[in-house]
């Protein structure tokens, strides 16, 4: 496609002549936001590593366990996103973030004190509600700290905390569970805790220390169209209606990314344990290293490539990078669980994770560039709600259901995973390609809700 002139890319609001914040300050905030995201990833991964002990503790099958991530966390994560996004558009985002981080860290620790399935379910509900503020508030902050032509890399750094945090959590969490089990074997942990319960208490604590840093950082000035006065709910709905063609296709397409990413994050430990006989510590090191190296690499590469293509004149760069990267992910991600041994599976999971992480920063950046300031948190929260309902709420549960009822053996989880990934990737690519035309129109027109 021929390059297009783009007078609006570098300056969405031509009347705003204020200098952008000092880069050192901007990147410091980006780092704090990344640490908050890492804290949330640790909580989620520890639950994934404890599939078998939690099932044994409470007598669960795969479908029931999937409800902890899919319904308890996923559904309430989506329900919390929109009101927290509206708070971020109306009040200081640092306060919304700091309080939310403190709350979900306490809830994560409460998961470790659960004595029955109902208590664990409720604690996961609380974690989901608290974590829902991180992305909408974080992206809104970054859009006021970095100019558009540099926003892609900043958002990538924020989002690469997810694969980095997941990888680190798999490695540290697997080792932590193994150490707790070996150290207290035969004698039992204090207060009658099981190793998986103690792990939740340990990984939830750092968030309590980080929360004050977010609460007391300086709030950046809001900039761009609609940055002065909070919007009413009808005005926000008007913003969405004006962009409905692009948003509908983008939301549906990026939902497929969430399906694949959560499918792998939730079920990889079970896949390697059942099919290849690996321990949680082995899975933690193997999959953890892949997420830390390949996941972070794919996330940063997507932001760098999108910024470069944007400066070259491609106003739809973020959607193109996401679509074609994820299509390639589908090939590797479908074949990986079908491999005859664990090392061959990991060899294919590596490029799959690199490519699966590319759409994540592209989605966040693309949304900020077509929204007025005071609608960014709310529309981003709506985006999170949609992709979470589809990805978190359906993806892991479908795999558990297929393994329990469609196939005949626990090891058949490999086929469930392959089917879900193989269907999701081409659907996502097709939807984003359809979104290119309406998205380009919004970028070039510079609509102001």
């Amino acid at each position: 496609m021929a390059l297009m002139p783009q007078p609006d890319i570098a300056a969405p609001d031509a009347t705003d002549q204020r200098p952008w914040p000092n880069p050192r300050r901007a990147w410091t905030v980006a780092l704090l936001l990344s640490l908050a995201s890492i804290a949330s990833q640790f909580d989620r991964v520890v639950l994934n590593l404890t599939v078998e002990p939690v099932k044994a503790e409470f007598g669960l099958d795969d479908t029931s366990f999937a409800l902890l991530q899919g319904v308890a966390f996923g559904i309430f994560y989506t329900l919390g996103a929109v009101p927290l996004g509206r708070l971020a558009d109306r009040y200081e985002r640092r306060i919304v973030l700091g309080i939310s981080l403190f709350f979900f860290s306490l809830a994560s620790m409460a998961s470790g004190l659960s004595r029955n399935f109902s208590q664990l379910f409720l604690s996961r509900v609380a974690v989901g509600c608290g974590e829902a503020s991180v992305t909408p508030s974080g992206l809104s902050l970054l859009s006021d700290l970095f100019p558009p032509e540099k926003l892609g890399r900043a958002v990538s750094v924020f989002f690469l905390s997810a694969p980095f945090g997941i990888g680190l959590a798999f490695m540290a969490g697997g080792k932590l569970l193994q150490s707790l089990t070996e150290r207290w074997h035969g004698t039992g942990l204090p207060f009658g805790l099981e190793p998986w319960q103690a792990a939740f208490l340990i990984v939830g604590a750092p968030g309590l220390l980080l929360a004050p840093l977010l609460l007391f950082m300086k709030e950046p000035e809001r900039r761009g169209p609609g940055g002065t006065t909070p919007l009413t709910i009808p005005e926000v709905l008007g913003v969405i209606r004006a962009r409905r063609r692009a948003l509908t296709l983008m939301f549906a397409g990026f939902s497929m990314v969430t399906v694949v990413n959560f499918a792998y994050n939730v079920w990889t430990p079970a896949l390697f344990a059942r099919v290849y006989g690996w321990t949680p510590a082995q899975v933690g090191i193997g999959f953890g290293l892949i997420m830390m190296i390949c996941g972070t690499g794919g996330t940063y590469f997507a932001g760098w490539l999108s910024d470069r293509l944007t400066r070259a004149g491609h106003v739809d760069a973020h959607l193109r990078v996401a679509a074609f990267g994820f299509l390639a992910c589908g090939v590797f991600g479908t074949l990986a669980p079908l491999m005859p041994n664990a090392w061959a599976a990991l060899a294919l999971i590596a490029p799959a994770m690199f490519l699966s992480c590319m759409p994540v920063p592209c989605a966040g950046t693309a949304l900020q560039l077509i929204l007025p300031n005071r609608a960014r948190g709310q529309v981003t929260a709506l985006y999170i709600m949609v992709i979470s309902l589809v990805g978190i709420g359906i993806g892991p549960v479908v795999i558990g259901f297929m393994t329990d009822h469609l196939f005949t053996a626990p090891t058949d989880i490999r086929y469930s995973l392959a089917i879900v990934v193989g269907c999701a990737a081409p659907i996502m690519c097709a939807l984003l390609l359809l979104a290119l035309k309406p998205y380009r129109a919004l970028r070039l027109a510079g609509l102001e809700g």
Side-chain angles (χ1 to χ4, degrees):
M1 175 175 291
L3 299 184
M4 299 181 180
Q6 47 171 339
D8 65 319
I9 288 178
D13 183 1
T15 63
D16 191 345
Q17 301 300 319
R18 291 173 295 170
W20 288 89
N22 181 283
R24 179 177 297 179
R25 176 195 166 202
W27 283 109
T28 298
V29 174
L31 176 61
L32 289 175
L33 294 173
S34 299
L35 291 175
S37 177
I38 289 173
S40 70
Q41 301 304 327
F42 259 80
D43 165 84
R44 302 180 199 181
V45 168
V46 166
L47 182 60
N48 298 341
L49 285 169
T50 58
V51 173
E52 303 307 332
V54 169
K55 286 175 60 180
E57 179 80 13
F58 301 126
L60 309 178
D61 59 13
D62 282 350
T63 304
S64 298
F65 180 84
L67 294 177
L68 293 173
Q69 288 285 51
V71 176
F73 177 87
I75 299 300
F76 287 90
Y77 180 84
T78 67
L79 293 176
V82 173
L84 287 169
R86 183 157 180 80
L87 288 176
D89 282 336
R90 296 183 64 84
Y91 304 105
E92 292 193 20
R93 293 155 289 188
R94 64 183 180 88
I95 296 177
V96 177
L97 269 171
I99 293 175
S100 296
L101 175 58
F102 189 83
F103 176 77
F104 79 68
S105 297
L106 282 179
S108 177
M109 298 177 72
S111 299
L113 301 176
S114 300
R115 298 297 183 179
N116 54 58
F117 178 74
S118 297
Q119 292 177 5
L120 182 57
F121 188 94
L122 290 174
S123 71
R124 305 316 298 166
V125 168
V127 170
C129 291
E131 289 187 12
S133 74
V134 176
T135 299
S137 298
L139 289 176
S140 179
L141 280 167
L142 291 175
S143 67
D144 288 329
L145 291 165
F146 293 90
E149 71 275 10
K150 297 180 180 178
L151 183 60
R153 277 186 296 171
V155 172
S156 290
V157 169
F158 174 45
F159 277 124
L160 67 78
S161 61
F164 181 84
I166 290 170
L168 184 62
F170 266 106
M171 295 174 66
K175 185 64 177 177
L176 175 63
L177 285 166
Q178 182 181 24
S179 298
L180 289 170
T181 301
E182 293 176 351
R183 169 66 178 83
W184 299 98
H185 179 70
T187 59
L189 286 160
F191 308 109
L193 296 174
E194 296 293 332
W196 68 268
Q197 294 175 306
F200 273 110
L201 293 174
I202 294 170
V203 302
L208 301 181
L209 303 177
L210 179 61
L213 298 179
L214 292 171
L215 282 168
F216 294 111
M217 74 181 187
K218 184 179 179 181
E219 176 85 3
E221 292 184 88
R222 294 183 183 267
R223 43 197 320 131
T228 305
T229 306
L231 301 178
T232 64
I233 292 178
E235 288 172 330
V236 175
L237 294 176
V239 168
I240 296 171
R241 281 195 299 270
R243 297 155 174 80
R244 61 185 179 276
R245 284 189 62 204
L247 292 178
T248 299
L249 292 166
M250 290 169 63
F251 285 18
F254 286 117
S255 294
M256 298 298 101
V257 179
T258 314
V259 168
V260 171
N261 286 341
F262 269 83
Y264 262 100
N265 293 342
V266 170
W267 291 113
T268 292
L271 170 72
F272 276 79
R274 298 174 189 179
V275 178
Y276 305 119
W278 278 25
T279 66
Q282 289 175 304
V283 178
I285 293 174
F287 188 62
L289 281 174
I290 285 175
M291 289 303 300
M292 288 183 69
I293 298 171
C294 298
T296 56
T299 305
Y300 186 80
F301 176 73
W304 172 84
L305 180 59
S306 297
D307 280 351
R308 182 166 182 171
L309 293 175
T310 297
R311 289 193 295 270
H314 290 283
V315 295
D316 56 7
H318 300 93
L319 298 192
R320 289 185 178 274
V321 170
F324 292 114
F326 198 68
L327 183 63
C329 162
V331 177
F332 294 103
T334 300
L335 294 175
L338 305 179
M339 290 297 100
N341 61 71
W343 296 109
L346 285 177
L348 293 183
I349 287 175
M353 292 302 100
F354 182 96
L355 295 161
S356 75
C357 289
M358 288 180 62
V360 178
C362 295
T365 308
L367 282 174
Q368 307 313 300
L369 294 176
I370 60 171
L371 295 170
N373 190 294
R374 293 281 187 163
R376 288 171 182 163
Q378 292 164 89
V379 179
T380 300
L382 179 64
Y383 161 75
I384 292 171
M385 184 180 75
V386 172
I387 68 169
S388 297
L389 282 171
V390 177
I392 305 173
I394 297 176
V397 176
V398 166
I399 290 176
F401 181 85
M402 289 173 65
T403 306
D404 285 338
H405 302 288
L406 181 61
F407 298 109
T408 58
T411 54
D412 289 340
I413 191 173
R414 65 197 312 179
Y415 304 118
S416 303
L417 187 56
I419 290 171
V420 168
V421 176
C423 293
I427 292 173
M428 179 273 197
C429 183
L431 289 168
L432 286 198
L433 292 180
L434 290 173
L436 291 178
K437 184 176 180 180
Y439 182 80
R440 280 196 304 267
L442 290 171
R443 290 286 285 119
L444 291 172
L447 294 177
E448 297 186 7

